[in-house]
Amino acid sequence: MSKRFRAPALVWRLYDFARNVDCSCIEIEQDGKLGRDQIERQRAEVGQLAPKRLSNFKPFDIAKQAATKEIERLRNARI
């Protein structure tokens, strides 16, 4: 595989992504100025935004390109 991409790196990037979502929710919950409804609404906003951000997650593009190059390399090696 490409030297620029390693599967564990993608896993750690995904872990960081999920951790950031979790931290955002914790910050919302710990804001003493917010009522229950506001907390629920803001947490829902964070949750709705996460899949949109994940769909544009750059490490996926890097992984896809690296996998495509590796598949092509393996195909060419068989010829």
Side-chain angles (χ1 to χ4, degrees), residues 5-7 13-14 16 19 38 48-49 53 61-62 67 74:
F5 170 75
R6 298 280 185 252
R13 288 271 186 89
L14 284 169
D16 287 342
R19 185 72 182 136
Q38 292 170 311
Q48 291 170 354
L49 182 60
R53 288 180 43 220
D61 295 336
I62 294 168
L74 291 171

Side-chain angles (χ1 to χ4, degrees), residues 25-72:
C25 290
I26 290 170
E27 287 176 15
I28 291 167
E29 292 169 354
Q30 292 179 347
D31 186 341
K33 299 175 187 173
L34 300 177
R36 182 180 174 138
D37 291 341
Q38 292 170 311
I39 291 171
E40 288 179 11
R41 187 178 71 254
Q42 287 187 17
R43 281 179 48 100
E45 289 171 5
V46 168
Q48 291 170 354
L49 182 60
K52 293 175 186 172
R53 288 180 43 220
L54 196 55
S55 69
N56 296 320
F57 195 58
K58 193 73 167 168
F60 283 148
D61 295 336
I62 294 168
K64 181 179 177 182
Q65 290 171 2
T68 300
K69 287 178 184 179
E70 183 67 8
I71 290 168
E72 189 62 31

